[in-house]
């Protein structure tokens, strides 16, 4: 499933090919995504120049002259850059043709993604307005997390995966950041110390930044290639390693369930 690093990698991969180009045509072959692609979208964006690309949480934002294209990759979506026009496959639902002949092709086998367009301020959009801060910006600090965590009884792992608290901390990254911080994933949030918040914030930033840098490596052949999203390929410390020895202390990694998600931890290293 594309997480924040894959979306950021996609943004960085497509931006050089689409910046300052004008959209000449949008073709929607199947509008049945998570929300139907609005039938008016192709004509609304046609002839508009692409001014910038942004990312907010897992939304890829393509800034046009009069509004913003909002793209979400859902469970299985990917965008690739084509320099020609190969016959679209079964799951190639949307094409965006640009005035330089480049084409963005959206593939999404499970169709949980989204393509929307708005001319209202993006920060007020219903999908964006209630999101917490971006983890890789200076608005996500230990001070912020500590204040938010007071009097909370929820488990710390659930807390850091809550998009109203901070966006983009998917299951893999939550597990890894808690390991690096030495924190037991089911610790009640309100008992997290100031010092632990500092470590947690620092480690969340570190695992996401590393994943982005590796996603970039995986997606080096962004143009033309098969467009597969670059999954986090680093050697993980705990995620998916149930029963295997901890890289730090060789104690066997254990698994818990947290809100129906797999939680992996080292019982020796994560006792706080
Ligand atoms: Zn350990």
């Amino acid at each position: 499933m594309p997480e924040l690093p894959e979306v950021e990698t996609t943004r960085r991969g497509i931006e050089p090919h689409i910046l300052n180009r004008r959209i000449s045509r949008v073709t929607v072959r199947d509008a049945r995504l998570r929300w139907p692609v609005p039938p008016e979208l192709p004509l609304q964006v046609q002839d508009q120049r692409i001014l910038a690309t942004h990312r907010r949480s897992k939304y890829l934002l393509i800034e046009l002259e009069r509004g913003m294209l909002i793209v979400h990759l859902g469970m299985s979506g990917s965008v690739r850059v084509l320099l020609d026009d190969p016959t679209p496959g079964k799951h190639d639902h949307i094409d965006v043709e640009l005035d330089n002949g480049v084409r963005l092709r959206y593939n999404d086998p499970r169709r949980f993604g989204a393509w929307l367009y708005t001319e209202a301020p993006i920060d007020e959009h219903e999908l964006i307005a209630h999101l917490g801060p971006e983890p890789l910006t200076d608005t996500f600090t230990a001070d912020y997390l500590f204040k938010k965590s007071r009097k909370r009884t929820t488990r710390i792992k659930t807390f850091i995966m809550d998009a109203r608290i901070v966006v983009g901390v998917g299951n893999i990254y939550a597990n890894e950041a808690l390991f690096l911080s030495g924190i037991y994933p089911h610790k009640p949030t309100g008992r997290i110390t100031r010092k632990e918040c500092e470590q947690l914030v620092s480690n969340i930033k570190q695992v996401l930044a590393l994943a982005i840098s590796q996603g970039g490596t995986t997606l080096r052949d962004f143009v033309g290639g098969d467009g597969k999203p670059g999954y986090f390929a680093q050697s993980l410390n705990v995620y998916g390693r149930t029963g295997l020895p901890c890289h730090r202390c060789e104690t066997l990694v254990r698994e818990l369930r947290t809100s129906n998600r797999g939680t992996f931890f080292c019982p020796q290293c994560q006792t706080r």
Side-chain angles (χ1 to χ4, degrees), residues 14-15 17-26 40-55 60-71 94-99 104 115-122:
I14 66 173
E15 189 184 68
H17 302 279
I18 68 172
L19 214 52
N20 297 316
R21 305 317 311 192
R22 205 172 278 283
I23 294 175
S24 47
R25 183 162 55 166
V26 174
E40 63 276 16
L41 183 145
L43 280 179
Q44 283 177 316
V45 306
Q46 189 172 314
D47 294 328
Q48 289 203 60
R49 196 175 288 280
I50 295 171
L51 302 181
T53 67
H54 313 274
R55 180 191 51 74
L60 173 63
L61 304 174
I62 300 176
E63 185 181 344
L64 307 179
E65 290 163 298
R66 294 192 303 277
M68 194 81 82
L69 258 173
I70 305 171
V71 178
I94 298 173
D95 273 13
V96 178
E97 293 172 57
L98 306 176
D99 59 358
L104 290 181
W115 279 68
L116 301 167
Y117 174 72
T118 182
E119 295 187 353
I122 191 67

Coordinates of all heavy atoms in Angstrom, one line a residue, residues 14-15 17-26 40-55 60-71 94-99 104 115-122:
I14 N 7.7 12.5 -10.8 CA 6.9 13.1 -11.9 C 7.2 14.6 -12.2 O 7.0 15.1 -13.3 CB 5.4 12.8 -11.8 CG1 4.8 13.6 -10.7 CG2 5.1 11.3 -11.7 CD1 3.2 13.5 -10.6
E15 N 7.5 15.3 -11.1 CA 7.6 16.7 -11.2 C 8.4 17.3 -12.3 O 8.0 18.1 -13.1 CB 8.0 17.4 -9.8 CG 7.9 18.9 -9.9 CD 8.4 19.6 -8.6 OE1 9.6 19.6 -8.4 OE2 7.6 20.1 -7.9
H17 N 9.0 16.2 -15.1 CA 8.4 15.9 -16.5 C 7.1 16.8 -16.7 O 6.7 16.8 -17.9 CB 8.1 14.4 -16.6 CG 9.2 13.6 -16.4 ND1 10.2 13.3 -17.4 CD2 9.7 12.9 -15.3 CE1 11.1 12.5 -16.9 NE2 10.8 12.2 -15.7
I18 N 6.5 17.3 -15.7 CA 5.2 17.9 -15.9 C 5.2 19.4 -15.5 O 4.3 20.1 -15.9 CB 4.1 17.2 -15.0 CG1 4.3 17.4 -13.5 CG2 4.1 15.7 -15.4 CD1 3.2 16.9 -12.7
L19 N 6.3 19.9 -14.9 CA 6.3 21.3 -14.4 C 6.2 22.3 -15.6 O 6.9 22.1 -16.6 CB 7.5 21.6 -13.6 CG 7.4 22.5 -12.4 CD1 6.2 22.1 -11.5 CD2 8.7 22.6 -11.6
N20 N 5.3 23.3 -15.5 CA 5.2 24.3 -16.5 C 4.6 23.8 -17.8 O 4.6 24.6 -18.8 CB 6.5 25.1 -16.7 CG 7.0 25.8 -15.5 OD1 6.2 26.4 -14.8 ND2 8.3 25.6 -15.1
R21 N 4.2 22.6 -17.8 CA 3.5 22.1 -19.0 C 2.0 22.4 -18.9 O 1.5 22.5 -17.8 CB 3.7 20.6 -19.2 CG 5.2 20.1 -19.3 CD 6.1 21.0 -20.0 NE 5.7 21.3 -21.4 CZ 6.5 21.9 -22.3 NH1 7.8 22.1 -22.0 NH2 6.1 22.2 -23.5
R22 N 1.4 22.4 -20.1 CA -0.1 22.7 -20.1 C -0.8 21.3 -20.3 O -0.3 20.5 -21.1 CB -0.4 23.7 -21.2 CG -1.6 24.4 -21.0 CD -1.8 25.5 -22.1 NE -1.0 26.8 -21.8 CZ -1.4 27.7 -20.9 NH1 -2.5 27.5 -20.2 NH2 -0.7 28.8 -20.7
I23 N -1.9 21.1 -19.7 CA -2.7 19.9 -19.8 C -3.5 20.0 -21.1 O -4.3 20.9 -21.3 CB -3.6 19.7 -18.7 CG1 -2.8 19.4 -17.4 CG2 -4.6 18.5 -18.9 CD1 -3.7 19.3 -16.1
S24 N -3.2 19.1 -22.1 CA -4.0 19.2 -23.3 C -5.2 18.3 -23.3 O -6.2 18.6 -24.0 CB -3.1 18.9 -24.5 OG -2.3 17.7 -24.3
R25 N -5.2 17.2 -22.6 CA -6.4 16.4 -22.5 C -6.3 15.4 -21.3 O -5.2 14.9 -21.0 CB -6.5 15.6 -23.8 CG -7.8 14.8 -23.8 CD -8.2 14.4 -25.2 NE -7.1 13.6 -25.9 CZ -7.2 12.9 -27.0 NH1 -8.4 12.9 -27.6 NH2 -6.2 12.3 -27.5
V26 N -7.4 15.2 -20.7 CA -7.5 14.1 -19.7 C -8.5 13.1 -20.2 O -9.6 13.4 -20.6 CB -8.0 14.7 -18.3 CG1 -8.2 13.6 -17.3 CG2 -7.0 15.7 -17.8
E40 N -17.0 16.3 -14.8 CA -16.6 17.6 -15.3 C -15.1 17.8 -15.2 O -14.5 18.8 -15.7 CB -17.3 18.8 -14.6 CG -17.1 18.9 -13.1 CD -18.0 18.0 -12.2 OE1 -18.5 17.0 -12.8 OE2 -18.0 18.3 -11.0
L41 N -14.4 17.0 -14.4 CA -12.9 17.2 -14.2 C -12.1 17.4 -15.4 O -11.3 18.3 -15.5 CB -12.4 16.1 -13.3 CG -10.9 16.2 -12.8 CD1 -10.7 15.6 -11.4 CD2 -10.0 15.5 -13.8
P42 N -12.2 16.5 -16.4 CA -11.3 16.6 -17.6 C -11.4 18.0 -18.2 O -10.4 18.6 -18.6 CB -11.8 15.5 -18.6 CG -12.4 14.5 -17.6 CD -13.0 15.3 -16.5
L43 N -12.6 18.6 -18.4 CA -12.7 19.9 -19.0 C -12.3 21.0 -18.1 O -11.8 22.0 -18.5 CB -14.2 20.1 -19.5 CG -14.5 19.4 -20.8 CD1 -15.9 19.6 -21.2 CD2 -13.5 19.8 -21.9
Q44 N -12.5 20.8 -16.8 CA -12.1 21.8 -15.8 C -10.6 22.0 -15.8 O -10.1 23.2 -15.7 CB -12.5 21.4 -14.4 CG -14.0 21.7 -14.1 CD -14.3 21.2 -12.7 OE1 -13.9 20.1 -12.3 NE2 -15.1 22.0 -12.0
V45 N -9.8 21.0 -16.0 CA -8.3 21.1 -15.9 C -7.7 21.3 -17.3 O -6.5 21.7 -17.4 CB -7.7 19.9 -15.2 CG1 -8.3 19.7 -13.8 CG2 -7.8 18.6 -16.0
Q46 N -8.4 21.0 -18.3 CA -7.9 21.1 -19.7 C -7.4 22.5 -20.0 O -8.1 23.5 -19.6 CB -8.9 20.7 -20.7 CG -8.4 20.5 -22.1 CD -9.4 19.9 -23.0 OE1 -10.0 18.9 -22.7 NE2 -9.6 20.5 -24.2
D47 N -6.3 22.6 -20.6 CA -5.6 23.9 -21.0 C -5.0 24.7 -19.8 O -4.5 25.8 -20.0 CB -6.6 24.8 -21.7 CG -7.0 24.3 -23.1 OD1 -6.2 23.6 -23.7 OD2 -8.2 24.5 -23.5
Q48 N -5.0 24.1 -18.7 CA -4.4 24.8 -17.5 C -2.9 24.3 -17.4 O -2.6 23.2 -17.7 CB -5.1 24.4 -16.2 CG -6.5 25.0 -16.0 CD -6.8 25.1 -14.6 OE1 -6.2 25.8 -13.8 NE2 -7.9 24.5 -14.2
R49 N -2.1 25.3 -17.0 CA -0.7 25.0 -16.9 C -0.4 24.5 -15.5 O -1.1 24.8 -14.5 CB 0.1 26.3 -17.1 CG 1.6 26.1 -17.3 CD 2.3 27.4 -17.6 NE 2.0 28.0 -18.9 CZ 2.6 27.5 -20.0 NH1 3.5 26.6 -20.0 NH2 2.3 28.1 -21.2
I50 N 0.5 23.5 -15.4 CA 0.9 22.9 -14.1 C 2.0 23.8 -13.4 O 3.1 24.0 -14.0 CB 1.5 21.5 -14.3 CG1 0.3 20.6 -14.8 CG2 2.0 21.0 -13.0 CD1 0.8 19.2 -15.2
L51 N 1.7 24.5 -12.3 CA 2.5 25.4 -11.7 C 3.5 24.8 -10.7 O 4.6 25.3 -10.4 CB 1.7 26.5 -11.0 CG 0.7 27.3 -11.9 CD1 0.0 28.4 -11.1 CD2 1.5 27.9 -13.1
A52 N 3.0 23.8 -10.0 CA 3.9 23.2 -8.9 C 3.2 21.8 -8.6 O 2.1 21.5 -8.9 CB 3.9 24.1 -7.7
T53 N 4.0 21.0 -7.8 CA 3.4 19.8 -7.2 C 3.7 19.9 -5.7 O 4.7 20.5 -5.3 CB 4.1 18.5 -7.8 OG1 5.4 18.5 -7.4 CG2 4.0 18.4 -9.3
H54 N 2.8 19.4 -4.9 CA 2.9 19.4 -3.5 C 2.5 18.0 -3.0 O 1.9 17.2 -3.7 CB 2.0 20.4 -2.8 CG 2.1 21.8 -3.5 ND1 3.0 22.7 -3.1 CD2 1.3 22.4 -4.4 CE1 2.8 23.8 -3.8 NE2 1.8 23.6 -4.6
R55 N 2.8 17.7 -1.7 CA 2.2 16.6 -1.1 C 1.7 17.0 0.3 O 2.3 17.8 1.0 CB 3.2 15.5 -0.9 CG 2.7 14.2 -0.2 CD 3.8 13.3 0.2 NE 4.9 13.9 1.0 CZ 4.7 14.3 2.2 NH1 3.6 14.1 2.9 NH2 5.7 15.0 2.8
L60 N -1.3 13.6 -3.3 CA -0.4 14.2 -4.2 C -1.2 15.4 -4.8 O -2.3 15.2 -5.3 CB -0.1 13.2 -5.3 CG 0.7 13.7 -6.5 CD1 2.0 14.3 -6.2 CD2 0.8 12.6 -7.6
L61 N -0.7 16.6 -4.7 CA -1.4 17.8 -5.1 C -0.7 18.4 -6.3 O 0.5 18.7 -6.3 CB -1.5 18.8 -4.0 CG -2.1 18.3 -2.7 CD1 -1.9 19.4 -1.6 CD2 -3.5 17.9 -2.9
I62 N -1.5 18.6 -7.4 CA -0.9 19.2 -8.6 C -1.5 20.5 -8.8 O -2.8 20.6 -9.1 CB -1.1 18.2 -9.9 CG1 -0.5 16.9 -9.6 CG2 -0.6 18.9 -11.1 CD1 -0.7 15.8 -10.7
E63 N -0.7 21.6 -8.6 CA -1.2 22.9 -8.6 C -1.4 23.5 -10.0 O -0.4 23.5 -10.8 CB -0.3 23.8 -7.8 CG -0.9 25.2 -7.6 CD 0.1 26.1 -6.8 OE1 1.0 25.6 -6.1 OE2 -0.1 27.4 -6.9
L64 N -2.6 23.9 -10.4 CA -2.8 24.4 -11.7 C -3.1 25.9 -11.6 O -3.1 26.4 -10.5 CB -4.0 23.7 -12.3 CG -3.9 22.2 -12.4 CD1 -5.2 21.6 -13.0 CD2 -2.7 21.7 -13.1
E65 N -3.3 26.6 -12.7 CA -3.5 28.0 -12.7 C -4.7 28.4 -11.9 O -4.7 29.4 -11.2 CB -3.6 28.6 -14.1 CG -2.2 28.5 -14.9 CD -2.4 28.6 -16.4 OE1 -3.1 27.8 -17.0 OE2 -1.9 29.6 -16.9
R66 N -5.8 27.7 -12.0 CA -7.0 28.1 -11.3 C -7.4 27.2 -10.1 O -8.3 27.5 -9.4 CB -8.2 28.1 -12.3 CG -8.0 29.2 -13.4 CD -9.3 29.3 -14.2 NE -9.8 28.1 -14.8 CZ -9.4 27.6 -15.9 NH1 -8.4 28.2 -16.6 NH2 -9.8 26.4 -16.4
G67 N -6.7 26.1 -9.9 CA -7.1 25.2 -8.9 C -6.1 24.1 -8.6 O -5.0 24.2 -9.0
M68 N -6.6 23.0 -8.0 CA -5.7 22.0 -7.5 C -6.2 20.6 -7.9 O -7.4 20.3 -7.5 CB -5.5 22.1 -6.0 CG -4.3 21.3 -5.4 SD -2.7 22.1 -5.6 CE -2.8 23.3 -4.2
L69 N -5.4 19.8 -8.5 CA -5.8 18.4 -8.7 C -5.4 17.6 -7.5 O -4.2 17.8 -7.0 CB -5.0 17.8 -9.9 CG -5.7 17.6 -11.2 CD1 -4.7 17.2 -12.3 CD2 -6.9 16.6 -11.1
I70 N -6.3 16.8 -6.9 CA -6.0 16.1 -5.7 C -6.0 14.6 -6.1 O -7.0 14.1 -6.5 CB -7.1 16.3 -4.6 CG1 -7.2 17.8 -4.3 CG2 -6.8 15.5 -3.4 CD1 -8.4 18.1 -3.5
V71 N -4.8 14.0 -5.9 CA -4.7 12.6 -6.3 C -4.3 11.7 -5.1 O -3.4 12.1 -4.3 CB -3.6 12.4 -7.4 CG1 -3.4 10.9 -7.8 CG2 -3.9 13.2 -8.6
I94 N -6.7 6.4 -15.9 CA -6.7 7.8 -16.3 C -5.4 8.1 -17.0 O -4.3 7.7 -16.6 CB -6.9 8.7 -15.0 CG1 -8.2 8.4 -14.3 CG2 -6.7 10.2 -15.3 CD1 -8.4 9.1 -13.0
D95 N -5.5 9.0 -18.1 CA -4.3 9.5 -18.7 C -4.4 11.1 -18.7 O -5.5 11.6 -18.9 CB -4.3 9.1 -20.2 CG -3.6 7.8 -20.4 OD1 -3.4 7.1 -19.5 OD2 -3.3 7.5 -21.6
V96 N -3.3 11.7 -18.4 CA -3.2 13.2 -18.5 C -2.2 13.5 -19.5 O -1.0 13.2 -19.3 CB -2.8 13.8 -17.1 CG1 -2.7 15.3 -17.3 CG2 -3.9 13.5 -16.0
E97 N -2.6 14.0 -20.7 CA -1.7 14.3 -21.7 C -1.3 15.8 -21.6 O -2.1 16.7 -21.4 CB -2.4 14.2 -23.1 CG -2.7 12.7 -23.5 CD -3.6 12.7 -24.7 OE1 -3.1 13.2 -25.8 OE2 -4.7 12.2 -24.7
L98 N 0.0 16.0 -21.8 CA 0.6 17.4 -21.7 C 1.0 17.9 -23.0 O 1.2 17.1 -24.0 CB 1.8 17.4 -20.7 CG 1.5 16.8 -19.3 CD1 2.7 16.7 -18.5 CD2 0.4 17.6 -18.6
D99 N 1.2 19.2 -23.1 CA 1.5 19.8 -24.4 C 2.9 19.4 -25.0 O 3.2 19.8 -26.1 CB 1.3 21.3 -24.4 CG 2.3 22.0 -23.3 OD1 3.0 21.2 -22.6 OD2 2.2 23.2 -23.2
L104 N 0.9 11.3 -18.2 CA 0.8 10.7 -16.9 C -0.3 9.6 -17.0 O -1.4 9.9 -17.4 CB 0.4 11.7 -15.8 CG 1.4 12.8 -15.4 CD1 0.8 13.6 -14.3 CD2 2.7 12.2 -15.0
W115 N -9.2 10.8 -7.7 CA -8.8 12.0 -8.6 C -9.9 13.0 -8.4 O -11.0 12.8 -8.9 CB -8.6 11.6 -10.0 CG -7.3 11.0 -10.3 CD1 -6.9 9.7 -9.9 CD2 -6.3 11.5 -11.1 NE1 -5.6 9.5 -10.4 CE2 -5.2 10.5 -11.1 CE3 -6.1 12.7 -11.8 CZ2 -4.0 10.8 -11.8 CZ3 -4.9 12.9 -12.5 CH2 -3.9 11.9 -12.5
L116 N -9.6 14.1 -7.8 CA -10.5 15.2 -7.6 C -9.9 16.5 -8.0 O -8.7 16.6 -8.2 CB -11.0 15.2 -6.1 CG -11.6 13.9 -5.5 CD1 -11.6 14.0 -4.0 CD2 -12.9 13.7 -6.1
Y117 N -10.7 17.6 -8.1 CA -10.3 18.9 -8.5 C -11.0 19.9 -7.7 O -12.2 19.8 -7.5 CB -10.5 19.1 -10.0 CG -10.1 20.5 -10.4 CD1 -8.8 20.9 -10.5 CD2 -11.1 21.4 -10.8 CE1 -8.5 22.2 -10.9 CE2 -10.8 22.7 -11.2 CZ -9.5 23.1 -11.2 OH -9.2 24.3 -11.6
T118 N -10.3 20.9 -7.2 CA -11.0 22.0 -6.5 C -10.4 23.3 -6.8 O -9.2 23.4 -7.1 CB -10.9 21.8 -4.9 OG1 -11.6 22.9 -4.3 CG2 -9.5 21.8 -4.4
E119 N -11.2 24.4 -6.8 CA -10.7 25.7 -7.0 C -10.8 26.5 -5.7 O -10.5 27.7 -5.7 CB -11.4 26.4 -8.2 CG -11.1 25.7 -9.5 CD -11.7 26.4 -10.7 OE1 -12.4 27.4 -10.6 OE2 -11.4 25.9 -11.8
A120 N -11.2 25.9 -4.6 CA -11.3 26.5 -3.3 C -9.9 26.4 -2.6 O -9.1 25.5 -3.1 CB -12.4 25.9 -2.5
P121 N -9.6 27.1 -1.6 CA -8.4 27.0 -0.9 C -8.2 25.5 -0.4 O -9.0 25.0 0.3 CB -8.5 27.9 0.3 CG -9.5 28.9 -0.1 CD -10.5 28.2 -1.0
I122 N -7.0 25.0 -0.7 CA -6.8 23.6 -0.5 C -6.8 23.2 1.0 O -7.3 22.1 1.4 CB -5.5 23.1 -1.2 CG1 -5.4 21.6 -1.2 CG2 -4.2 23.7 -0.6 CD1 -6.4 20.9 -2.0

